[in-house]
Amino acid sequence: MDRQNLILIGFMGAGKTSVGEQLAAHRHRTLIDTDRMIEDITGRTVAEIFQQQGEAAFRRLEGMVLKELAAKAQGEIVSVGGGLPLWEDNKQLLKALGKVIYLRVRPETVIRRLQGDRTRPLLQGNDVEEKVERLMTFRGPVYESLADCVIDADEKTVMQIGQQIEREMKRDEEELL
Ligand code: S3P
């Protein structure tokens, strides 16, 4: 069932939230962001949840909010945390939720954009380059396998990416007519 939700997936720093906000504004909607949902529910930041309860607890919360969305989201723009699409249950739910757009970026783009970032627990400490490379090697094919549409986002502005997605959506709608 296609409920015309648009879901942005991709690695940390790919621009899911910025692009999602742009798309949502264009449609007079508010972006639904799974990290923000979790922070609102728990009253804690993602970093605090990782630190105080561990990654597994955060992943359970992700599964919970995704189920909630799958039960009721319609016509929404949704951006999901970079790790959410990796779990089997989540994959099914994402596919059922709507059109999945993968914002693909190269490791060097992530490293440049997230330099000095303290909000992503998985990219703290030493060897950030190696962490990004390792996670991306594993995650890239998963994101690709889920995507209805892949957008190379390294050299593009948020506006350009938003417009490209709008064009894709329009093309899809025309094909349905
Ligand atoms: C994570 C990505 C983050 C956040 C958490 C874990 C990941 O979201 O959910 O830090 O595993 O890739 P963004 O992709 O929005 O940075």
Side-chain angles (χ1 to χ4, degrees):
M1 177 180 47
D2 186 358
R3 286 165 321 167
Q4 294 165 330
N5 296 295
L6 208 153
I7 305 113
L8 295 164
I9 66 167
F11 205 80
M12 293 168 268
K16 303 180 293 286
T17 307
S18 311
V19 171
E21 275 168 357
Q22 139 96 15
L23 287 168
H26 193 249
R27 292 171 183 219
H28 309 289
R29 291 256 169 193
T30 305
L31 171 69
I32 298 179
D33 179 291
T34 55
D35 285 346
R36 295 297 87 74
M37 280 177 84
I38 291 169
E39 292 186 336
D40 288 347
I41 291 167
T42 60
R44 295 185 176 148
T45 65
V46 170
E48 284 166 349
I49 299 168
F50 266 72
Q51 199 187 10
Q52 294 165 11
Q53 294 167 270
E55 180 175 349
F58 176 75
R59 300 301 175 195
R60 280 195 294 278
L61 288 163
E62 280 190 317
M64 198 182 88
V65 299
L66 184 60
K67 281 200 191 90
E68 193 184 320
L69 286 176
K72 57 182 187 204
Q74 232 159 13
E76 304 286 358
I77 310 287
V78 181
S79 96
V80 304
L84 182 145
L86 302 172
W87 274 260
E88 250 357 277
D89 290 357
N90 293 353
K91 287 182 192 171
Q92 318 285 339
L93 289 170
L94 282 174
K95 293 299 286 179
L97 194 56
K99 190 172 166 76
V100 178
I101 314 267
Y102 169 29
L103 299 188
R104 182 166 58 190
V105 285
R106 292 189 292 268
E108 52 272 31
T109 303
V110 173
I111 291 158
R112 177 169 41 79
R113 289 186 185 168
L114 296 187
Q115 224 170 21
D117 176 87
R118 293 281 163 269
T119 67
R120 270 80 168 193
L122 295 182
L123 300 182
Q124 301 307 306
N126 299 325
D127 302 328
V128 173
E129 281 89 350
E130 195 253 319
K131 285 175 183 154
V132 170
E133 294 272 1
R134 184 166 38 80
L135 284 171
M136 219 182 242
T137 303
F138 175 72
R139 292 177 173 196
V142 179
Y143 296 146
E144 266 163 43
S145 73
L146 278 172
D148 295 302
C149 165
V150 180
I151 300 201
D152 284 309
D154 298 277
E155 322 294 350
K156 296 180 188 134
T157 64
V158 168
M159 182 79 89
Q160 285 169 329
I161 297 168
Q163 286 165 347
Q164 187 175 345
I165 294 171
E166 293 290 358
R167 280 197 300 277
E168 297 278 349
M169 298 294 284
K170 206 160 169 218
R171 195 175 310 148
D172 272 14
E173 281 161 22
E174 281 163 5
E175 274 169 22
L176 285 175
L177 291 177

